[in-house]
């Protein structure tokens, strides 16, 4: 059994046509008989095929739009692909932009970059100047989340106004919705905000969630989603309670000693912001500027206390930016001892990393490992070895967590 998609050799006159000649072919196999490495290879093969098919779809939509207009192309996409209105609009917009991005189109057609990465490059190109070669090279090596951050930083660097126009556009594009679902009868809230407003909201929400968590019965805890819903409801419906204690927006900037000025302003997660916005934040009465100097802070607490200090946590947010495992917000992450506390690990800055609750359980319950990546210059988590490798059973996985080994 084999799936095969073939395009015409002339490519229909599209700039991408020559790249697509020869089509896409993925043979069906019995995945149950594949090893772990075999399954990984299978996904890699499917991913490349999806990229090539995405390039073909983009070629067709762009041609439909050229012959008639974007609205007609969106209508055909909804009818033939059963796509949503928003999805069809997004695909047609990306297709039109890709026609003038030859390097991105070629990388997508050859399966070197995923569709999502190509769409990010296409959108960025419509918003301002970019170095297409740089972004395509990064897209080949980076996962989606990391590439999205790379692209945002690149846009800031390429901007001739320190990213102010990007930030102004984000502010202008803010949206909010509140409505009752006809399907479930539930009341829905959603919104999109500029990065600074979003960081403020996230900081306050995370602090309220922590406050609620501390009030819960440990034997009957809410799910994270329920806790967030309750935090939003309490902040809106019971404003007299105020925001939780200890909420503070962290903004980072480097000091250029030669020119004696602050540069490279960014939020704690690395999102770049214009220097003008940093000045506005500094003028906010609730924002307290702070200068971090390792020499003036006690970063090594040894065995004197188990929990990280506020100074250590601030330094961890600056260094790790987010959960080192899944990239969850630093506001929802904890300080974890690389060498476990119960095994004699000290509460020293060098022995601490930021992890969210889910990744914390993966480390303690599922034997995930924490290691420092010297190339990326950051800490990462790694899954445990395959309990059933081709060479035999690996006993490093805890028996109580593996029902097949328990007996």
């Amino acid at each position: 059994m084999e799936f095969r998609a073939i395009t015409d050799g002339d490519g229909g006159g599209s700039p991408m046509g020559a790249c697509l000649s020869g089509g896409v072919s993925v043979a069906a196999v019995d995945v149950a008989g594949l090893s772990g490495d075999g399954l990984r290879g299978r996904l890699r093969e499917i991913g490349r095929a999806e990229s090539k098919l995405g390039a073909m779809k983009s070629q067709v939509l762009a041609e439909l739009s050229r012959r008639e207009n974007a609205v007609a192309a969106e209508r055909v996409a909804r009818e033939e692909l059963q796509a949503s209105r928003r999805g069809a609009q997004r695909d047609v917009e990306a297709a039109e932009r890709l026609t003038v991005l030859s390097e991105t189109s070629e990388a997508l057609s050859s399966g070197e970059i995923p569709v999502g990465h190509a769409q990010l490059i296409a959108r960025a190109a419509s918003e301002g100047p970019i170095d297409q070669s740089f972004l395509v090279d990064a897209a080949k090596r980076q996962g989606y989340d990391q590439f999205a951050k790379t692209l945002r930083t690149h846009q800031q660097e390429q901007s001739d106004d320190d990213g102010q126009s990007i930030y102004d556009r984000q502010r202008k594009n803010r949206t909010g919705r509140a409505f009752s679902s006809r399907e479930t009868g539930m009341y829905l809230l959603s919104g999109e905000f500029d990065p600074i407003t979003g960081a403020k909201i996230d900081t306050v929400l995370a602090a309220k969630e922590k406050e609620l968590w501390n009030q819960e019965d440990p034997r009957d805890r809410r799910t994270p989603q329920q806790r967030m819903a309750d935090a939003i409801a309490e902040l809106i419906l019971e404003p007299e309670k105020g925001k939780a204690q200890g909420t503070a927006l962290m903004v980072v900037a480097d000091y250029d000693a030669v020119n004696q000025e602050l540069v490279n302003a960014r939020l704690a997660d690395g999102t770049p912001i214009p220097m003008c916005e940093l000045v506005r934040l500094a003028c906010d009465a609730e924002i307290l500027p702070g200068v971090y100097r390792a020499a003036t802070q006690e970063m090594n607490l040894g065995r004197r206390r188990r929990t990280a200090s506020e100074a250590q946590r601030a330094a961890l947010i600056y260094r790790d930016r987010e959960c080192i495992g899944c990239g969850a917000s630093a506001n929802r992450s904890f300080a974890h001892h690389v060498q476990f506390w119960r095994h004699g690990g000290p509460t020293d800055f060098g022995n601490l990393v930021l992890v969210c609750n889910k990744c914390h359980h993966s480390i303690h319950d599922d034997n995930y490992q924490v290691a420092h990546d010297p190339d990326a210059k950051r800490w990462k988590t790694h899954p445990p070895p395959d309990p059933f490798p081709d060479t035999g059973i690996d006993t490093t996985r805890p028996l109580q967590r593996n029902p097949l080994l328990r007996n």
Side-chain angles (χ1 to χ4, degrees), residues 167 193-201 249 267 273-274 277-278 281:
Y167 179 77
F193 306 89
D194 64 83
I196 294 177
T197 303
K200 291 179 179 179
I201 293 173
L249 177 65
L267 298 174
I273 60 174
E277 299 305 320
L278 177 65
L281 287 173

Side-chain angles (χ1 to χ4, degrees), residues 34 110 144 218 369:
L34 296 176
S110 62
Y144 186 88
Q369 304 298 306

Side-chain angles (χ1 to χ4, degrees), residues 193-341:
F193 306 89
D194 64 83
I196 294 177
T197 303
K200 291 179 179 179
I201 293 173
D202 186 64
T203 300
V204 173
L205 265 178
K208 179 60 70 172
E209 290 172 58
K210 183 177 180 180
E211 182 181 275
L212 296 179
W213 188 89
N214 289 332
Q215 298 170 358
E216 291 174 357
D217 181 348
R219 297 166 295 181
D220 185 27
R221 291 203 179 277
R222 287 169 273 207
T223 66
Q225 293 77 14
Q226 291 171 334
R227 193 176 300 113
M228 176 175 282
D230 291 345
I232 294 173
E234 185 170 303
L235 288 168
I236 295 175
L237 300 176
E238 303 179 68
E240 67 280 359
K241 289 188 176 181
K243 64 183 182 182
Q245 295 297 314
T247 58
L249 177 65
M250 176 178 282
V251 181
V252 181
D254 300 325
Y255 182 69
D256 184 344
V258 175
N259 297 309
Q260 296 185 340
E261 61 181 6
L262 293 175
V263 296
N264 191 23
R266 57 201 185 276
L267 298 174
D269 66 355
T271 300
I273 60 174
M275 288 302 301
C276 289
E277 299 305 320
L278 177 65
V279 173
R280 289 193 181 96
L281 287 173
C283 294
D284 190 324
E286 296 185 3
I287 301 295
L288 297 178
V291 177
Y292 170 68
R293 290 180 179 273
T296 63
Q297 302 286 345
E298 191 172 10
M299 293 290 107
N300 297 323
L301 302 178
R303 299 284 294 177
R304 282 178 289 165
R305 58 181 286 176
R306 181 168 186 169
T307 58
S309 67
E310 288 301 316
Q312 285 177 321
R313 178 166 175 78
L316 285 172
I317 293 175
Y318 171 77
R319 186 194 70 190
D320 294 342
R321 299 185 176 181
E322 59 194 10
C323 169
I324 65 168
C326 66
S329 168
N331 290 325
R332 293 176 178 79
S333 298
F334 309 87
H336 164 73
H337 293 75
V338 178
Q339 180 187 356
F340 293 175
W341 171 265

Side-chain angles (χ1 to χ4, degrees), residues 153-225:
T153 301
H154 177 74
Q155 286 183 289
Q156 181 92 358
E157 294 172 345
Q158 293 288 308
S159 171
D160 57 6
D161 60 359
D162 190 36
Q164 188 65 49
S165 59
I166 297 174
Y167 179 77
D168 291 342
R169 181 174 59 251
Q170 292 170 330
R171 284 277 298 161
K172 183 179 180 180
N173 291 338
R174 65 189 183 278
T175 61
R177 300 178 68 201
F179 59 96
S180 295
S181 170
R182 296 176 180 174
E183 298 177 2
T184 65
M186 300 286 282
Y187 190 74
L188 305 180
L189 284 172
S190 67
E192 290 186 58
F193 306 89
D194 64 83
I196 294 177
T197 303
K200 291 179 179 179
I201 293 173
D202 186 64
T203 300
V204 173
L205 265 178
K208 179 60 70 172
E209 290 172 58
K210 183 177 180 180
E211 182 181 275
L212 296 179
W213 188 89
N214 289 332
Q215 298 170 358
E216 291 174 357
D217 181 348
R219 297 166 295 181
D220 185 27
R221 291 203 179 277
R222 287 169 273 207
T223 66
Q225 293 77 14

Side-chain angles (χ1 to χ4, degrees), residues 93-94 97-98 101 104 117-127:
E93 288 175 351
R97 294 164 182 165
L98 282 172
L101 297 172
T104 305
H117 291 54
Q119 290 178 338
L120 286 178
I121 296 175
R123 187 189 67 193
S126 71
E127 296 173 343

